[in-house]
Amino acid sequence: MESPDREEAKGPVLHIVVVGFHHKKGCQVEFSYPPLMPDEGHDSNLLPEEWKYLPFVALPDGAHNYQEDTVFFHLPPLSGDMKCVYGVSCYRQIEAKALKVRQADVTRETVQKSVCVLSRVPLYGLLQAKLQLITHAYFEEKDFSQISILKELYEHMNGSLRGSSLEGSQVYLGLSPRDLILHFRHKVLILFKLILLEKKVLFYVSPVNRLVGALMTVLSLFPGMIEHGLVDSSHYRPRGSLSEDPGLVESVSGAEEFVSVSVTDLAGASLELEGAEPARPASADNNHLKPPSRSSPDSSESDWETLDPSVLEEGGPKEEAAAAAAAADLQPDAFDSESGTPITVQPQAAGEQNVTQGLVSGLEEDQHGLPLAIFTKGYLCLPYMALQQHHLLSDVTVRGFVAGATNILFRQQRHLSDAIVEVEEARIQIQDPELRKTLALTTADLRFADYLVKHVTENRDDVFLDGTGWEGGDEWIRAQFTLYLHSLLSSTLQQDNERLLADYGAPFITAWKITHNYRVWCSNKHPGMTAITPGHPFQGQYSVADVKLRLSHSVQNSERGKKIGNAMMTTSRSMVQTGKAVGQSVGGALTSAKSAMSSWFSTLAQPAPITSPEAQEPPSEVKP
């Protein structure tokens, strides 16, 4: 490979690649410009060892079921000096009989190919928009030997994107938090907290464009994450290239082909947290967070109550004890506040901010220490994961991941993930009851989520704004999540902050404080935090409206609530039909149905019984 300085001079796009499906060889690279291997030609099928899965992520599994599709994917760097390589692929298929020039190896009825852009900048939507036009034109030629248009694409992209800023709306082109909230509603906040806890999260849906769109939109809610927080998100290398490090190779089982390596590890030990231990294999002895001696203030509010011992990958005994002690000191009235009404804020649009190299995270950080160092030290972000990469989910050096998959085999092997997000059904499935308890939304969280949902749903029919207005728009939603995270971080810096942090959920705070990203953030001072008001943006005393919100939330989103709601609907229909059959008035039947509904609501309001693990129902989906 050429030096980084020469690569930088060429522009942000590294390669234009065409991947095709061969009837005997399967997915393979058919063209690359510049060549992927310096000593090979443009039509070489050879790949760098680090990019051996490129054909499989560029031409996705099950692609033959769709005329076209779009894939976002991440590749590891080819050298320690490079950062994550961001890939965008546009797939299309065409009938073989429609080709003007049919090559000898075309033996199937359809021809399937993907045109890919490998870039050093995470401009997913912008690259997709340009690539889709060129891919369409490339297929319209009906002669895939006409590669001049691909070379022109390389030159055009490097010319037009050279010097492009990673600040501003072009980074988020095609990523709509508004649509995400319309689909997932309150569960978006659960996804946000799930990633903060650095859990193993698998998104599942097809086609791939829906998958990567949902996953990357969730990440766009984290301030600065897409712009600067993913540079270390795909650092795994073939074991053969690590043969010089026998200690590292020995730590990997013989069945594993890849190990995870962080670019911040390669930069030297100076970036390590002081006193922090490296991530240990899952088979090593882990520290466990002891459950708090007292229940959290909101423990009686959740329909799926559990305790929260989480497996710690890096937490030390001192931090564990301190976190447990903080949770134990929470008072039952921790949600009380001097203000009796929720605070509905209107943050201003974020302008360009100066970023500096983080001393510990190695990321480009703003004055608030963001983005958080979530996707570092073996925590991977793979927007699309091919079946050939399946082993990465169980790699002992991968401490966590946010990954997307379309193959049902990923979803069936639930033991490899902490949470499975079924995008089509807007459902989050979590097996561990302790993690479900940790992610339970507090009353303040429900107010925040309800505030977002109401503003998005109430403004969605505005024919003039069409979703682009400030309040209820995409930028407004991202600003709200920025405020939420700023407030959360600021609350952790306050003395006697138990009451402030209780609004975010005591089990969540306890688990979050021993994550890698929080420990990195706490290791430095961030001048911008002095201007942030601590406390939950929607803190306040309980009211009747909160009771209604909690009740509605439980009915709509818990397993018990769904069963009760279905029973109520069935009862109502039966009573109406019975009333008609025996000549009773519809009004009388509805009155009876109303009485039955009241009885069901009374049942719902009662706290859920605590059962032994043997008596618990099968794992159910997470409900906000």
Side-chain angles (χ1 to χ4, degrees):
M1 292 295 294
E2 300 181 15
S3 66
D5 292 338
R6 292 187 63 185
E7 287 180 346
E8 191 66 34
K10 290 184 177 181
V13 174
L14 301 174
H15 301 277
I16 302 296
V17 180
V18 175
V19 175
F21 184 83
H22 191 275
H23 66 284
K24 291 184 178 180
K25 301 177 183 179
C27 298
Q28 64 177 5
V29 171
E30 298 179 345
F31 169 84
S32 59
Y33 182 83
L36 293 176
M37 303 293 285
D39 298 329
E40 299 290 334
H42 297 306
D43 57 351
S44 172
N45 304 131
L46 298 180
L47 286 167
E49 184 66 17
E50 293 87 347
W51 291 357
K52 63 185 298 182
Y53 295 134
L54 170 59
F56 307 106
V57 293
L59 209 165
D61 182 35
H64 60 278
N65 295 319
Y66 303 94
Q67 280 297 118
E68 56 185 290
D69 205 353
T70 303
V71 187
F72 301 159
F73 58 90
H74 293 164
L75 295 176
L78 296 183
S79 68
D81 296 328
M82 270 185 64
K83 300 175 181 178
C84 171
V85 175
Y86 308 96
V88 177
S89 171
C90 286
Y91 160 83
R92 288 179 68 93
Q93 64 174 323
I94 186 175
E95 292 185 355
K97 63 182 181 181
L99 295 176
K100 295 179 181 178
V101 178
R102 181 166 177 167
Q103 298 175 348
D105 59 355
V106 177
T107 61
R108 298 162 61 94
E109 294 182 357
T110 59
V111 177
Q112 303 164 353
K113 295 185 186 293
S114 289
V115 181
C116 318
V117 173
L118 304 184
S119 170
R120 66 176 81 254
V121 291
L123 298 174
Y124 305 96
L126 189 59
L127 294 174
Q128 175 187 352
K130 294 176 178 291
L131 187 57
Q132 283 179 329
L133 295 175
I134 297 301
T135 303
H136 178 76
Y138 182 53
F139 271 74
E140 284 299 309
E141 290 283 344
K142 297 182 174 60
D143 180 5
F144 295 118
S145 64
Q146 301 296 322
I147 59 175
S148 59
I149 189 173
L150 302 178
K151 296 180 179 179
E152 292 174 3
L153 173 64
Y154 174 81
E155 301 297 339
H156 167 74
M157 282 192 168
N158 277 325
S160 61
L161 299 178
R162 191 183 304 275
S164 294
S165 172
L166 286 180
E167 306 292 339
S169 59
Q170 66 177 3
V171 175
Y172 304 115
L173 182 64
L175 306 179
S176 174
R178 182 181 176 87
D179 293 339
L180 187 75
I181 289 180
L182 285 173
H183 187 58
F184 280 92
R185 301 179 72 84
H186 297 69
K187 300 175 188 176
V188 172
L189 185 55
I190 291 182
L191 293 175
F192 188 83
K193 296 178 108 177
L194 192 60
I195 295 175
L196 277 177
L197 294 181
E198 298 175 355
K199 295 301 181 180
K200 298 179 178 179
V201 185
L202 181 72
F203 285 71
Y204 175 83
V205 76
S206 59
V208 181
N209 66 81
R210 291 192 59 193
L211 174 73
V212 297
L215 189 153
M216 297 308 300
T217 301
V218 172
L219 296 187
S220 74
L221 301 177
F222 292 83
M225 184 61 70
I226 291 184
E227 299 95 311
H228 307 292
L230 300 178
V231 295
D232 198 22
S233 65
S234 64
H235 287 70
Y236 55 89
R237 295 196 299 176
R239 186 199 306 177
S241 63
L242 296 177
S243 58
E244 67 277 5
D245 187 355
L248 183 57
V249 174
E250 290 175 1
S251 67
V252 184
S253 64
E256 298 298 336
E257 185 179 1
F258 277 69
V259 295
S260 172
V261 177
S262 169
V263 73
T264 48
D265 291 331
L266 300 173
S270 60
L271 296 181
E272 288 287 345
L273 273 174
E274 193 171 322
E277 298 178 2
R280 290 188 290 270
S283 58
D285 292 335
N286 292 316
N287 295 317
H288 292 272
L289 179 65
K290 302 302 185 294
S293 58
R294 299 181 60 182
S295 61
S296 62
D298 61 311
S299 61
S300 62
E301 301 174 354
S302 174
D303 187 51
W304 22 278
E305 292 190 17
T306 51
L307 297 178
D308 175 82
S310 300
V311 176
L312 305 186
E313 303 249 344
E314 301 181 15
K318 293 182 179 179
E319 291 156 326
E320 176 185 326
D329 291 339
L330 294 177
Q331 300 300 319
D333 60 347
F335 286 115
D336 293 343
S337 169
E338 294 181 2
S339 172
T341 57
I343 302 173
T344 54
V345 294
Q346 294 291 341
Q348 298 301 312
E352 290 194 18
Q353 299 180 353
N354 294 327
V355 293
T356 57
Q357 190 80 15
L359 296 178
V360 179
S361 69
L363 305 176
E364 296 288 334
E365 298 177 352
D366 64 11
Q367 60 182 347
H368 301 99
L370 301 177
L372 294 174
I374 296 176
F375 295 100
T376 59
K377 303 293 182 184
Y379 191 80
L380 304 182
C381 175
L382 303 173
Y384 174 69
M385 175 178 282
L387 187 60
Q388 289 76 7
Q389 296 173 295
H390 181 273
H391 59 82
L392 289 177
L393 301 185
S394 56
D395 193 313
V396 293
T397 61
V398 173
R399 63 186 182 88
F401 54 81
V402 176
T406 59
N407 194 300
I408 194 172
L409 294 178
F410 285 94
R411 188 179 66 171
Q412 290 175 341
Q413 297 188 335
R414 300 179 182 274
H415 63 284
L416 297 179
S417 306
D418 295 316
I420 297 179
V421 183
E422 298 184 11
V423 179
E424 180 70 31
E425 298 83 5
R427 181 167 55 194
I428 308 172
Q429 298 224 6
I430 291 182
Q431 289 185 302
D432 186 5
E434 296 163 355
L435 181 56
R436 293 204 299 270
K437 171 58 193 280
T438 302
L439 295 170
L441 297 184
T442 65
T443 295
D445 281 343
L446 281 176
R447 292 171 182 165
F448 172 72
D450 194 58
Y451 178 66
L452 296 177
V453 171
K454 285 184 177 178
H455 276 72
V456 169
T457 54
E458 289 174 359
N459 296 332
R460 64 178 174 177
D461 295 327
D462 194 322
V463 295
F464 297 103
L465 296 179
D466 192 25
T468 61
W470 168 246
E471 186 167 314
D474 291 338
E475 292 298 325
W476 179 86
I477 294 171
R478 280 189 280 266
Q480 298 295 331
F481 276 93
T482 298
L483 173 69
Y484 182 93
L485 188 56
H486 282 173
S487 302
L488 172 59
L489 292 168
S490 178
S491 299
T492 65
L493 300 176
Q494 307 305 310
Q495 298 292 331
D496 300 324
N497 58 7
E498 289 85 359
R499 289 172 58 89
L500 295 176
L501 293 177
D503 280 326
Y504 296 95
F508 168 77
I509 294 297
T510 302
W512 180 53
K513 280 190 173 182
I514 46 79
T515 61
H516 176 72
N517 72 81
Y518 179 77
R519 295 168 64 193
V520 169
W521 185 86
C522 285
S523 64
N524 280 341
K525 293 183 178 180
H526 310 290
M529 296 307 299
T530 58
I532 303 299
T533 302
H536 199 293
F538 285 79
Q539 63 186 344
Q541 296 179 341
Y542 287 131
S543 65
V544 176
D546 293 324
V547 177
K548 293 180 179 179
L549 179 60
R550 172 65 63 181
L551 190 61
S552 174
H553 169 72
S554 298
V555 170
Q556 295 176 10
N557 298 285
S558 69
E559 285 299 314
R560 293 176 63 204
K562 283 186 176 180
K563 292 178 181 178
I564 292 173
N566 291 335
M568 287 190 295
M569 293 180 61
T570 302
T571 302
S572 299
R573 286 196 298 264
S574 299
M575 299 188 78
V576 170
Q577 293 172 358
T578 303
K580 291 180 178 179
V582 300
Q584 294 179 350
S585 66
V586 175
L590 292 177
T591 301
S592 300
K594 182 178 180 180
S595 176
M597 291 173 65
S598 300
S599 176
W600 282 115
F601 274 106
S602 298
T603 303
L604 177 65
Q606 298 176 1
I610 300 178
T611 59
S612 63
E614 294 79 5
Q616 289 181 355
E617 294 181 356
S620 59
E621 60 174 343
V622 167
K623 302 300 177 184

